[in-house]
Amino acid sequence: MAEATAPKPSSSVKLVLLGEAAVGKSSLVLRFVNNDFQENKEPTIGAAFLTQKCNLPTRTIKFEIWDTAGQERFASLAPMYYRNAQSALVVYDLTKPTSLVKAKHWVAELQRQASPGIVIALVGNKLDLTNESASSSNNLGDDSEGDATEGEADDGDARKVSTAEAKSYAEEEGLLFFETSAKNGTNVSEVFTAIANAIPETSLKGARGPGATQAASRTEDQSRVNLTGPRDSAAKDTCAC
Amino acid sequence: MESLSDTRWDVVISGTGLRHSLLALALSRSNKKILHVDENDYYGGPEAAFSLQEVDEWVEELGKAPTSTLFRNASIWKSEEETSTDSPTLSFSRAYTLTLSPQIIYTKSKLLSRLVSSKVYRQLEFQAVGNWWIYNAEEAVLKRLPNGREDIFQDKNIDNRAKRNLMKFLKFVVDYENQTDVWEAQSESGLDIFLSSKFNFPAHLQIVITALTLSLAPPSETSVKWALPRIARHLTSIGLFGPGFGAVVPKWGGGAEISQVACRAGAVGGGVYVLGTGIENVKVVEAEDTESPAFHLALSNGEAVGTKLYVHEATDKDNGGITTVSKAISIISSSVPSLFRSTVEGSPLAAVSVVVFPPMSLQIADGIQSDPVYIMVHSSETGECPAGQSVLYSTTKSSSLSKIVLQAALESLMNRVPNQGKLLYTLYYEQTAPSGSPLDLSFDDQLLEQVEAQWREVMAEKANEESFMQFEERKGMEAEEEDDNDY
């Protein structure tokens, strides 16, 4: 990811990662953040929190990524993760139809409970297990429609969820939609860039904390109290008597 | 993780209220195996925050279990005018975050420094508590309390003699610990007697000073030894984080927000979180050695777990002090800008104003208002309501009249502010304090001390090597490349 040269406005965006266990949520983030992939990765133990910047032409978005890692069974991390989250990445495994069912449950819960303006991206991962992956990079157009008949794995295609099915669901629900491969990187950064672009300007808050760009967000954060900042101007008003 | 029973837990924490969430935060870097459960299907316990729909569910649940909880007699009132398109109405359910814990946090509170030292403050946004107003019954107006020394000098309503006395008192109170000779003999007496005998304060000044303590009792029942540290805290907090304010609130739902941020830190540290699961049965067992579980817990989801330590929410009733308060959470269709107007240059835009109705200042049909009423007015800046509306958190000591008193205070407030708007919604309830956490309108650092004590118990001898809630920045927090093996 390129370094920002000119000072651009920088905003933090909270992103929550949801989906059934073993669909590749952590791998997607690992690819996005480190551009790395680990074969046969162990299930994530403990919840993960990572940040990654995404440079857009006019601004920098700093994703704060919350991964429910390893605790999917209890579904208890999600509610506090999606509280005030501006974006959610709901992941399914396109070789496993039940994972799309689970993904739809998450979408419904987000629409019911999360912030009203939340940007949701539906992501079908493990594109590398289909036989389109070798040639295709990110063309998710209509050309792949219908050619994924279920259970036809003799040609090395493990796809069980057709692009058309997931795509039409995503369109109905107003979700961003991508098919990705965390393994070879297909479409991964595109997902995050698309989310960054879809976040409405009005819901962008200034960078958090004193470590982040200080000057840029002063005016839009008039009510924010800085717990660590300089206290000089205040001194004389202290009622020391 | 297939089953909770497969793990030998070091600590099982039951309840995600502020106290236990802060404990989870304190233990988040301890490498202990922590299971954190809550019988509710939401975070925050007695400090939770709700959408309107969640309030409905909460009230319904309370109705089903009226005795087993710290909350009771909850009821909801909604404005019924929905016919006219011009009249202001409630927005949709999720446009609101009504918090059960609108406590203000003084800038001097150790909670803030712990949130900074534990690095979770980055996930929080704090806003200023601006003006304090006191209702003057004779003139039927709200008067702004002076905000520090210069304000008092400029106040034309205070005569010079009173100003001198006030200055003398302020000078004393910020140094009260070193001036025990002034107050120790009267430490148990009422604040009114102390203020009039030592500082010649007339009744109205006694009331103003008592208001600064946020005492739920009248001045005569507010003891000197309890009040002095609180007045000192109020005065010495002003200006600490910027001009014009001495207290803050977390955006997006007060204590509920801190509790969730603390639990998130617990989860990032490896803690396992299970909502909607309580502890049904606790069996204390003779531990064979220090590595064996000392508690066998039966969870309400049917699983059984063993743990070395078990931390649970105290639900027994406290016997000392004020134990039950009546509260109202109201939504009004006005942003009441006059309450938030800043008089101090360079101060941040305040999100909260405090309005105090002293004892006997309100007209009550069948009786007298013996205790003060406090209303914390939250602007839409808090993220708790849509723009153009405000959320009013009213509190008074519980009595047979308290609901009427709260209504009178609300009505009085709405009549005193221009463009008053309309009352759209009120949630009324009573709350009883569990022992060890008194009902306080400001965050009480005692709670943090309890958390530290529990942390020491869990950490045992390791507590001596580490500092309470003192953490390094997590790698992921930086924008730098992650080369750690967190994955």
Side-chain angles (χ1 to χ4, degrees), chain B residues 349-411:
Chain B
L349 182 62
V352 175
S353 282
V354 182
V355 182
V356 187
F357 292 87
M360 321 255 236
S361 64
L362 296 164
Q363 298 285 334
I364 309 299
D366 297 305
I368 56 159
Q369 174 219 349
S370 48
D371 303 303
V373 179
Y374 294 87
I375 302 183
M376 305 286 180
V377 183
H378 286 210
S379 79
S380 60
E381 285 289 322
T382 58
E384 294 168 16
C385 67
Q389 300 186 3
S390 316
V391 185
L392 275 45
Y393 295 92
S394 314
T395 307
T396 196
K397 194 157 74 174
S398 215
S399 75
S400 56
L401 288 173
S402 48
K403 195 170 181 176
I404 302 167
V405 168
L406 290 180
Q407 280 165 354
L410 276 170
E411 207 169 291

Side-chain angles (χ1 to χ4, degrees), chain A residues 14 34 47 49-51 71 73-74 76 80 83 111-112 114 208 222-225 227 231 234 241, chain B residues 2 43 94 126-127 239-241 252 257 260 264 267 271 273 275 303 349 381 476-478 482 487:
Chain A
K14 190 172 156 188
N34 289 355
F49 174 77
L50 286 172
T51 60
Q71 298 190 27
R73 183 164 86 86
F74 310 115
S76 297
M80 68 172 160
R83 182 177 156 87
Q111 290 173 339
R112 206 171 53 240
R208 291 168 184 236
Q222 285 180 347
S223 69
R224 179 191 289 270
V225 171
L227 298 191
R231 302 172 186 184
C241 304
Chain B
E2 281 311 299
Y43 285 90
R94 271 184 290 157
F126 285 94
Q127 298 172 313
L240 215 51
F241 287 126
W252 309 111
E257 187 66 4
Q260 295 207 24
R264 286 209 294 260
Y273 280 79
L275 289 181
E303 291 190 69
L349 182 62
E381 285 289 322
M477 298 296 294
E478 321 289 2
E482 177 92 357
Y487 282 89

Side-chain angles (χ1 to χ4, degrees), chain A residues 22-201:
Chain A
V23 295
K25 296 187 291 299
S26 305
S27 297
L28 275 172
V29 177
L30 186 59
R31 173 60 70 190
F32 174 57
V33 174
N34 289 355
N35 199 17
D36 190 15
F37 181 80
Q38 293 167 11
E39 198 81 51
N40 300 321
K41 198 183 86 57
E42 294 287 307
T44 315
I45 310 277
F49 174 77
L50 286 172
T51 60
Q52 176 65 298
K53 279 186 185 158
C54 185
N55 284 308
L56 300 182
T58 56
R59 58 155 38 90
T60 302
I61 299 285
K62 185 184 171 198
F63 280 110
E64 299 175 349
I65 304 165
W66 296 87
D67 185 353
T68 57
Q71 298 190 27
E72 290 84 357
R73 183 164 86 86
F74 310 115
S76 297
L77 290 184
M80 68 172 160
Y81 282 3
Y82 61 62
R83 182 177 156 87
N84 301 326
Q86 293 117 305
S87 57
L89 213 153
V90 182
V91 187
Y92 68 95
D93 173 351
L94 47 71
T95 70
K96 198 176 167 201
T98 55
S99 70
L100 179 62
V101 175
K102 185 65 203 171
K104 289 179 180 178
H105 285 157
W106 279 122
V107 170
E109 178 162 340
L110 286 170
Q111 290 173 339
R112 206 171 53 240
Q113 304 286 356
S115 315
I118 191 167
V119 173
I120 306 172
L122 178 71
V123 170
N125 191 34
K126 306 197 184 177
L127 191 62
D128 48 279
L129 297 179
T130 71
N131 56 9
E132 308 103 270
S133 66
S135 57
S136 82
S137 52
N138 57 356
N139 53 332
L140 291 172
D142 299 344
D143 54 340
S144 56
E145 264 179 58
D147 60 356
T149 18
E150 300 211 353
E152 224 171 274
D154 53 313
D155 56 350
D157 189 349
R159 179 193 279 277
K160 297 275 175 54
V161 178
S162 75
T163 307
E165 180 195 350
K167 194 178 176 189
S168 74
Y169 165 73
E171 275 168 9
E172 266 168 46
E173 300 295 332
L175 318 174
L176 299 170
F177 174 66
F178 287 89
E179 288 186 339
T180 60
S181 165
K183 184 174 179 176
N184 53 33
T186 314
N187 266 344
V188 175
S189 62
E190 284 81 353
V191 173
F192 289 88
T193 309
I195 292 174
N197 277 313
I199 306 275
E201 201 130 336

